[in-house]
Amino acid sequence: MANAGREGGGARERARMAAGASEVEILKPRCDKREYRRIVLPNSLEALIISDPETDKAAASMNVSVGSFSDPDGLEGLAHFLEHMLFYASKKYPIEDSYSKFITEHGGSRNAYTASEHTNYHFDVNVDSFEEALDRFAQFFISPLMSPDATLREIKAVHSENQKNLLSDVWRMSQLQKHLSSRNHPYHKFGTGNWNTLEVQPKLNGLDTRLELLKFYKKNYSANLMHLVVYAREGLDAIQSLVEQKFCDIQNSGQNYSYFPGQPCSSEHLQILVKAVRIKQGHKLRVVWPIAPSIRNYKEGPCRYLSHLIGHEGEGSVFFVLKQLGWALSLEAGEGDWSLEFSFFSVSIELTDKGHEHIEDIVGILFRYIDLLQNSGVNKWIFDELVAISETQFHYQDKISPCRYVVNIASNIQNFPPEDWLVRWSLPSNFVPSTIQTILDELTPENIRMFWESKNFEGCTDLVEPWYGTSYSVEKVPVSIIKQWIAKAPEVDLHLPKQNVFIPSDLTIKNAQEKVKYPILLRTSSFSRLWYKPDTMFSMPKAYIKVEFNCPQSIVSPEAEVLTYIFTKLLIDYLNEYAYYAKVAGLYYAIYNTRMGFEMNLPSSHNIKNHSSLHLPLLLLLLIQVIVVGYNDKMRILLETIVGRIEQFEVKPDRFFVIKESITKKYENFKFQKPFEQARHYSSLLLEDNKWPWNEKLEVLPHLEADHLSKFSNILLEKAFLEFYIAGNIEPREADSIAQHIEDILFKSTHSKCKPLFPSQHLASRIIKLEEGLRYYYPTEVFNIKDENSALIHYTQIHQDEIKLNVRLQLFALIAKQAAFHQLRTVEQLGYITMLTQRNDSGTRGVQIIIQSSVKDPLYLEARVDAFLEKFGSKLHEMTNEEYKNYVNALIDMKLEKFKNLWEESAFYWREIVDGTLKFDRVDSEVAALKELDKDELIDYFNKFIKIDSPQRKTLCVLVYGGPQTAEYKKVIQQEDTPKLHRIKDIFAFRRSRPLFGSFKGGLGLTKL
């Protein structure tokens, strides 16, 4: 099987190259207006060019068909290290980091990643700067400069990147699975690299890492092993000319593709049960089978079919049964860690404490379901349902950012023929039962690998994985034992899923009666307020509904906040087996508790992205969003079911205790968050009024019982105000009808739960006002003493939301972002996680620098941030008028970037609503302000609010000391305050002592408090 796959891959490449630059019809979504063309350059570099006349961003992604599997022995991480080194400089552009600087200054971003068999480099940039950006990008594959000085610094960066992952259960367990495989297979390798593998050991072996790096580059970075995707506004002919001009000089050494035939697991690595010690609280069972890669039969979708059934959550599924027994919190199934030569099918189950005691029964039930699939045969109606869902998802897919789009395509070009570059495996179309049966036949006791993770195994293991230090033990579990588990497992009702009633049938696009540019207040009452925005841009049969329940009782105490959290989790739990069908069909929902009650949303599978990180502020932890989105056809059915469950809510004691256990572990695991995440928590705790700390919520949890929630749920919903946002393919009367229906159920029925709020009860977010000319600092230690990393948040609070001041802050952040990264991360190597970002706390604006470091303590990091800001003032003064104008134009272009989909648009407008600022025309207003802003005004702004010695500067520093830095921590807490420096000893005493900013959200009157 493996050899056949190798020949198939080689034949595919030969056929593709033979096709030359001939036109290939690339299958694209019906709604996609973009144009595509495949080209092959004379040096055999293959490219896909994409013309999108509507785009505001251009992007490119280069995929090189070499990855960590090709690392030489004794130089683990070399491919990853090369990925770091490549972007430093080139012969044509020799100034170090000038590529990153150019991209950032022109509204773009850049990144790269190293996988097992490929490495991907990518960027995006404002369209008018694309040609030069592409030229700079191309030079890294033509004549890169990898200086000795940069080599040493970037080895440290790779080491820092690895250090941040050492206490991550995801990284630890992934490497453990690789460790327990054949030493002769590259799957066994450690791919990240660290100081020891890239500096210490090579020197001991007489190797010069930089020379080895150059050899590796010369051997593997050949044009015939590269695939390029370019996305631009110009027509195809112009883009093709640009690509041919920029990339024709990449060397083609004729290097053959690397193939790694055979399965990584020999017989000694099968029929095993691995017990591994986790860092975090919780238990997980991962059942893994080596299988033939389904990529070979991607149009037949064998793993898509099997993962759909084994990972199903409706009645009769494995998860449904385990949930009923109180044994599982989640279950995921599917193919992973695949290549053209090998693959794995895994079932990952998050266990309850009770489930942890029933591993044998759980494995037995899983195999009983696999037996059910064997006995039921491969069902055409199930395959046809998947085809229908897949076709709708493909043809009505939302636009995503050009950068994500080109990466998704480029990273898979090698594996698919050109006509399927956009489709890839997303459209199973050939029903071949034998192909599905072949994979199913591999999910056997003979072929099994089980990885059982729990903190409970501490002290019960006898082995240690060498790269991450994971403690584990291995037991052989012969087939006869698995059969005993199957036989003794409890009798449960396992069956195939029902037909899916949520598959959309009406995909009609409704015409908006009027072209509404911004959300309108469609209706308002003492019960609710409805914001409505029809789809006037995307022409998709989709909608977005958000309902925020503003419940004052939800935040009166830590107990109330925890009970509200359990309430929302139980709602999701009760709905799951019903709503899972909707999720499969592309209709998503979630329910979250927020600082002001809870919200109900129907969310898409997309990550909701800000329209622009520079003109849409980051969302705070203050408001946890819940979104209801997807195809509008069956949305109301799901929505009314959810509201009905809220109205008829009752506490099931068995599920209460399962959810309570899960939430307890979540709070306990706070201590294992990365130090910079802990610093973020403390900064929010210091700045947000009425925010409860995690440890207080953890402290009240053991005392909460099901009866407490039964009583509290009635109090929670007794007084409420609903905020609606309805957008997309919905007419005004439908939106009004939805809001009215929910009002009637909750407020106007015979036994209605809710009454409207009094005007005095409307909640608002308030932010602590820092004192001018004073630096507050809050030092603390990491909760996990094994974590060697420290962290700093250096925050400067500036002003409340005001257009002219906002654009000054945004322009400063754009100019300073790359400079901070270059100085603090690249030059000084303070830490892999280094960023300068804007901050928006409910309309209060500021700027923060975040650093996580494995080499320096937070006080040193703070001093280096001060030094950077001191030096940066000179940079602003020295900036030429032309450079200043370029930054302004770049920021304007970023602001004018159009929303790519309904979810982006809705997230932008919802932020205006939740903050109470309601500046729906913010983009136009800020662009106008930018056009009037001159360089001197920006310098004045910096000098007044950000400059280190400014008397109006307001600063808060959170310093999190790593495990080995106890002495440094004790020293800093003994320091005396000065007139300009104050240590916060008690967070809550500090909050009580400070005045608050006014809120922009003044309840129904929309006035500032």
Side-chain angles (χ1 to χ4, degrees):
M1 293 289 287
N3 287 336
R6 176 177 178 175
E7 290 170 6
R12 185 177 297 162
E13 289 303 320
R14 289 192 297 272
R16 181 180 297 161
M17 291 300 107
S22 60
E23 289 288 338
V24 175
E25 185 177 353
I26 297 171
L27 180 61
K28 67 177 187 178
R30 284 192 290 267
C31 297
D32 190 348
K33 299 176 183 177
R34 294 167 291 202
E35 294 183 324
Y36 300 83
R37 180 185 295 169
R38 168 189 174 262
I39 61 173
V40 179
L41 274 58
N43 58 2
S44 295
L45 186 148
E46 189 174 25
L48 174 67
I49 56 176
I50 305 170
S51 172
D52 180 1
E54 298 178 351
T55 190
D56 304 293
K57 278 280 198 296
S61 175
M62 178 72 88
N63 206 72
V64 186
S65 298
V66 63
S68 58
F69 277 8
S70 298
D71 286 344
D73 292 338
L75 279 165
E76 291 85 358
L78 189 67
H80 179 218
F81 177 46
L82 175 56
E83 171 229 304
H84 275 242
M85 285 293 296
L86 201 66
F87 280 172
Y88 262 80
S90 64
K91 288 182 180 178
K92 185 173 180 180
Y93 301 100
I95 298 175
E96 186 178 289
D97 233 16
S98 61
Y99 163 74
S100 299
K101 182 174 182 289
F102 180 87
I103 294 294
T104 303
E105 288 174 356
H106 293 86
S109 62
R110 83 287 179 276
N111 213 330
Y113 68 86
T114 304
S116 299
E117 296 184 77
H118 71 267
T119 305
N120 188 279
Y121 303 86
H122 48 273
F123 76 92
D124 66 358
V125 74
N126 292 339
V127 289
D128 57 357
S129 304
F130 183 56
E131 182 172 353
E132 182 173 344
L134 193 66
D135 189 53
R136 290 172 176 272
F137 182 73
Q139 290 303 311
F140 295 122
F141 306 99
I142 297 170
S143 55
L145 294 179
M146 293 181 262
S147 69
D149 177 55
T151 300
L152 191 62
R153 278 188 276 123
E154 211 54 35
I155 289 175
K156 292 178 181 178
V158 169
H159 181 74
S160 179
E161 181 178 356
N162 184 61
Q163 288 292 106
K164 77 174 177 62
N165 299 330
L166 290 180
L167 298 179
S168 163
D169 283 320
V170 173
W171 284 89
R172 292 163 71 88
M173 297 308 161
S174 174
Q175 190 62 43
L176 181 58
Q177 290 184 66
K178 295 175 181 179
H179 181 65
L180 294 173
S181 65
S182 173
R183 290 181 177 273
N184 298 322
H185 197 284
Y187 180 75
H188 181 81
K189 291 182 175 183
F190 167 60
T192 306
N194 58 31
W195 181 256
N196 189 55
T197 67
L198 294 171
E199 176 66 13
V200 177
Q201 289 302 319
K203 279 188 176 178
L204 291 176
N205 295 329
L207 296 175
D208 182 316
T209 302
R210 179 171 175 270
L211 293 180
E212 296 302 315
L213 184 75
L214 294 172
K215 281 190 219 173
F216 187 87
Y217 174 85
K218 186 174 182 180
K219 175 184 176 182
N220 294 290
Y221 276 53
S222 175
N224 67 308
L225 302 183
M226 297 180 182
H227 300 91
L228 175 69
V229 180
V230 173
Y231 190 113
R233 179 182 285 179
E234 292 77 12
L236 290 176
D237 290 341
I239 301 172
Q240 178 171 341
S241 176
L242 192 63
V243 168
E244 290 171 344
Q245 174 192 343
K246 303 298 182 186
F247 294 89
C248 64
D249 291 334
I250 297 177
Q251 177 191 4
N252 179 7
S253 63
Q255 178 72 16
N256 291 324
Y257 280 85
S258 297
Y259 290 103
F260 306 95
Q263 280 284 351
C265 300
S266 60
S267 58
E268 68 176 291
H269 306 116
L270 303 177
Q271 297 177 37
I272 58 171
L273 174 61
V274 181
K275 295 178 180 177
V277 179
R278 285 172 60 87
I279 297 294
K280 290 187 174 183
Q281 295 288 347
H283 323 284
K284 184 172 283 188
L285 175 67
R286 185 175 285 106
V287 182
V288 182
W289 295 271
I291 61 169
S294 68
I295 186 72
R296 299 173 183 171
N297 306 102
Y298 66 94
K299 289 190 176 182
E300 293 151 27
C303 285
R304 179 80 174 269
Y305 179 95
L306 292 173
S307 63
H308 169 68
L309 295 175
I310 298 173
H312 210 280
E313 298 180 20
E315 289 186 13
S317 66
V318 174
F319 178 68
F320 178 78
V321 165
L322 296 181
K323 179 183 156 186
Q324 279 193 319
L325 292 167
W327 294 354
L329 296 166
S330 67
L331 183 150
E332 296 178 351
E335 186 178 19
D337 275 351
W338 63 270
S339 77
L340 290 172
E341 305 297 329
F342 69 89
S343 189
F344 295 95
F345 190 94
S346 67
V347 178
S348 182
I349 307 170
E350 186 182 0
L351 306 168
T352 63
D353 289 345
K354 188 178 176 184
H356 182 66
E357 304 300 322
H358 288 272
I359 287 294
E360 296 175 4
D361 291 332
I362 290 171
V363 174
I365 289 171
L366 175 59
F367 272 110
R368 282 194 187 171
Y369 192 84
I370 292 171
D371 287 342
L372 168 69
L373 298 183
Q374 289 281 11
N375 296 329
S376 302
V378 178
N379 286 264
K380 190 172 189 304
W381 74 266
I382 295 175
F383 186 86
D384 289 343
E385 263 199 358
L386 289 175
V387 169
I389 291 168
S390 299
E391 286 185 345
T392 303
Q393 289 175 341
F394 177 73
H395 288 294
Y396 293 97
Q397 61 182 276
D398 300 301
K399 263 191 173 183
I400 58 176
S401 72
C403 196
R404 282 178 58 200
Y405 194 60
V406 295
V407 170
N408 290 347
I409 298 171
S411 58
N412 287 289
I413 277 184
Q414 182 186 345
N415 302 312
F416 297 93
E419 60 268 22
D420 288 334
W421 280 351
L422 306 184
V423 174
R424 301 185 292 281
W425 45 68
S426 64
L427 272 185
S429 54
N430 299 340
F431 180 61
V432 183
S434 60
T435 302
I436 299 171
Q437 188 66 45
T438 297
I439 303 294
L440 182 59
D441 289 344
E442 293 184 286
L443 310 185
T444 66
E446 289 83 0
N447 211 23
I448 198 171
R449 287 157 58 88
M450 294 174 286
F451 294 83
W452 185 7
E453 311 163 19
S454 176
K455 239 178 147 53
N456 292 6
F457 294 137
E458 282 184 318
C460 304
T461 59
D462 57 353
L463 298 168
V464 177
E465 189 278 319
W467 298 109
Y468 289 82
T470 305
S471 298
Y472 72 99
S473 62
V474 182
E475 302 171 20
K476 269 291 185 180
V477 184
V479 173
S480 58
I481 295 297
I482 298 286
K483 288 182 177 178
Q484 290 177 24
W485 295 357
I486 298 170
K488 75 177 184 65
E491 291 296 326
V492 290
D493 181 19
L494 295 169
H495 57 80
L496 296 177
K498 299 178 293 186
Q499 290 190 333
N500 194 331
V501 298
F502 284 102
I503 297 175
S505 54
D506 181 3
L507 298 170
T508 305
I509 305 299
K510 299 170 184 178
N511 292 322
Q513 293 178 348
E514 50 184 305
K515 296 294 181 182
V516 179
K517 188 175 181 180
Y518 303 120
I520 58 173
L521 188 58
L522 196 60
R523 71 193 302 267
T524 184
S525 70
S526 59
F527 309 108
S528 70
R529 182 168 57 185
L530 167 60
W531 296 96
Y532 169 71
K533 172 66 174 68
D535 176 10
T536 57
M537 291 180 65
F538 312 111
S539 298
M540 287 286 181
K542 300 179 181 182
Y544 178 113
I545 298 177
K546 180 186 290 287
V547 187
E548 180 185 270
F549 289 66
N550 189 321
C551 304
Q553 288 296 322
S554 65
I555 60 166
V556 295
S557 67
E559 291 90 343
E561 192 163 311
V562 172
L563 285 169
T564 304
Y565 191 20
I566 298 174
F567 170 81
T568 58
K569 287 290 188 183
L570 278 174
L571 277 173
I572 295 169
D573 186 76
Y574 298 163
L575 286 159
N576 189 66
E577 55 267 18
Y578 171 81
Y580 184 78
Y581 285 92
K583 178 182 176 182
V584 169
L587 182 56
Y588 303 86
Y589 88 100
I591 303 169
Y592 297 80
N593 67 314
T594 73
R595 291 292 316 284
M596 292 189 262
F598 66 94
E599 294 178 8
M600 179 177 64
N601 300 277
L602 302 177
S604 79
S605 57
H606 299 277
N607 293 321
I608 303 300
K609 292 190 69 180
N610 293 336
H611 183 203
S612 165
S613 61
L614 283 171
H615 71 253
L616 178 62
L618 294 174
L619 294 170
L620 300 172
L621 295 178
L622 179 68
L623 185 66
I624 305 172
Q625 293 196 15
V626 187
I627 308 157
V628 185
V629 295
Y631 304 109
N632 57 276
D633 182 29
K634 309 290 174 66
M635 184 176 282
R636 187 156 185 171
I637 298 171
L638 177 60
L639 181 61
E640 292 181 359
T641 301
I642 295 169
V643 174
R645 292 293 180 97
I646 293 171
E647 199 272 333
Q648 298 168 10
F649 181 81
E650 61 180 40
V651 180
K652 300 175 183 177
D654 59 331
R655 298 311 300 164
F656 172 88
F657 289 109
V658 168
I659 298 300
K660 176 184 170 181
E661 176 193 311
S662 170
I663 291 173
T664 300
K665 288 187 173 71
K666 177 179 178 179
Y667 287 137
E668 287 174 339
N669 284 332
F670 176 85
K671 62 176 67 85
F672 302 112
Q673 284 188 323
K674 292 181 176 65
F676 86 94
E677 294 171 332
Q678 294 183 33
R680 277 178 166 172
H681 168 77
Y682 286 120
S683 66
S684 294
L685 200 60
L686 285 158
L687 292 169
E688 296 175 27
D689 190 35
N690 291 327
K691 184 178 176 71
W692 306 110
W694 70 274
N695 56 306
E696 290 184 5
K697 289 184 277 191
L698 178 60
E699 191 174 325
V700 304
L701 260 165
H703 310 292
L704 297 178
E705 304 292 339
D707 286 345
H708 292 124
L709 182 58
S710 293
K711 295 172 183 175
F712 177 77
S713 63
N714 291 321
I715 297 171
L716 174 69
L717 295 169
E718 189 175 39
K719 302 279 282 186
F721 181 79
L722 310 186
E723 188 96 63
F724 291 90
Y725 181 84
I726 300 180
N729 196 38
I730 289 184
E731 295 174 344
R733 58 179 179 78
E734 293 177 87
D736 185 79
S737 173
I738 289 169
Q740 185 65 58
H741 180 74
I742 294 175
E743 266 193 19
D744 291 344
I745 291 175
L746 296 175
F747 291 94
K748 300 175 183 177
S749 63
T750 307
H751 304 289
S752 60
K753 281 184 175 285
C754 302
K755 293 183 176 63
L757 296 182
F758 291 119
S760 61
Q761 291 181 295
H762 284 267
L763 299 173
S765 303
R766 306 292 295 276
I767 302 301
I768 303 299
K769 185 183 290 187
L770 301 179
E771 189 168 331
E772 291 182 354
L774 187 60
R775 177 179 301 208
Y776 296 96
Y777 69 103
Y778 179 74
T780 187
E781 293 181 286
V782 290
F783 284 98
N784 180 12
I785 60 171
K786 294 180 180 178
D787 198 329
E788 298 180 1
N789 295 285
S790 64
L792 168 75
I793 287 185
H794 184 289
Y795 168 64
T796 303
Q797 188 181 74
I798 305 180
H799 52 74
Q800 284 200 286
D801 187 68
E802 198 279 314
I803 294 296
K804 290 185 177 181
L805 294 177
N806 292 349
V807 297
R808 289 163 170 78
L809 174 61
Q810 293 159 8
L811 190 57
F812 163 78
L814 176 62
I815 298 169
K817 177 181 176 182
Q818 179 57 29
F821 184 86
H822 175 70
Q823 180 62 37
L824 302 174
R825 154 70 162 78
T826 305
V827 176
E828 299 187 35
Q829 287 294 322
L830 296 180
Y832 181 77
I833 297 174
T834 299
M835 64 188 90
L836 183 151
T837 66
Q838 295 172 66
R839 178 166 179 155
N840 177 9
D841 299 282
S842 299
T844 299
R845 306 293 183 117
V847 64
Q848 62 186 4
I849 296 178
I850 301 173
I851 304 174
Q852 179 172 295
S853 178
S854 60
V855 294
K856 297 294 182 181
D857 69 79
L859 202 60
Y860 181 89
L861 301 178
E862 183 184 9
R864 298 315 303 153
V865 170
D866 285 351
F868 165 75
L869 290 173
E870 191 69 47
K871 187 177 179 181
F872 188 77
S874 301
K875 175 182 170 63
L876 285 180
H877 282 280
E878 295 164 4
M879 184 170 51
T880 66
N881 288 331
E882 183 179 356
E883 287 175 319
Y884 172 79
K885 187 175 292 185
N886 287 339
Y887 279 116
V888 170
N889 290 337
L891 184 54
I892 288 173
D893 287 344
M894 294 168 71
K895 287 185 171 299
L896 294 176
E897 184 180 343
K898 295 183 287 291
F899 298 115
K900 286 171 285 298
N901 52 57
L902 178 63
W903 332 124
E904 278 191 11
E905 179 189 75
S906 298
F908 178 85
Y909 290 133
W910 177 254
R911 183 62 197 266
E912 295 293 335
I913 293 167
V914 79
D915 280 350
T917 45
L918 301 180
K919 293 176 181 172
F920 298 132
D921 63 348
R922 179 178 299 277
V923 172
D924 293 341
S925 299
E926 291 186 343
V927 167
L930 271 171
K931 289 178 178 177
E932 296 177 358
L933 180 64
D934 63 38
K935 178 185 165 185
D936 289 340
E937 290 176 302
L938 177 64
I939 293 172
D940 289 344
Y941 179 89
F942 173 83
N943 290 337
K944 181 177 180 180
F945 295 115
I946 302 173
K947 190 177 179 181
I948 293 297
D949 57 358
S950 168
Q952 291 179 269
R953 190 170 191 261
K954 298 180 290 185
T955 308
L956 170 66
C957 292
V958 178
L959 302 89
V960 178
Y961 284 78
Q965 297 169 347
T966 300
E968 289 86 346
Y969 170 71
K970 289 180 177 178
K971 183 178 178 181
V972 79
I973 62 174
Q974 291 170 358
Q975 292 179 353
E976 295 293 328
D977 287 352
T978 70
K980 293 186 177 182
L981 187 66
H982 176 76
R983 177 167 70 90
I984 299 172
K985 303 175 182 66
D986 182 316
I987 290 175
F988 308 104
F990 166 75
R991 284 199 333 207
R992 287 190 293 269
S993 72
R994 297 302 307 154
L996 302 174
F997 280 107
S999 170
F1000 289 93
K1001 191 166 186 178
L1004 288 177
L1006 300 179
T1007 57
K1008 185 174 174 180
L1009 296 177

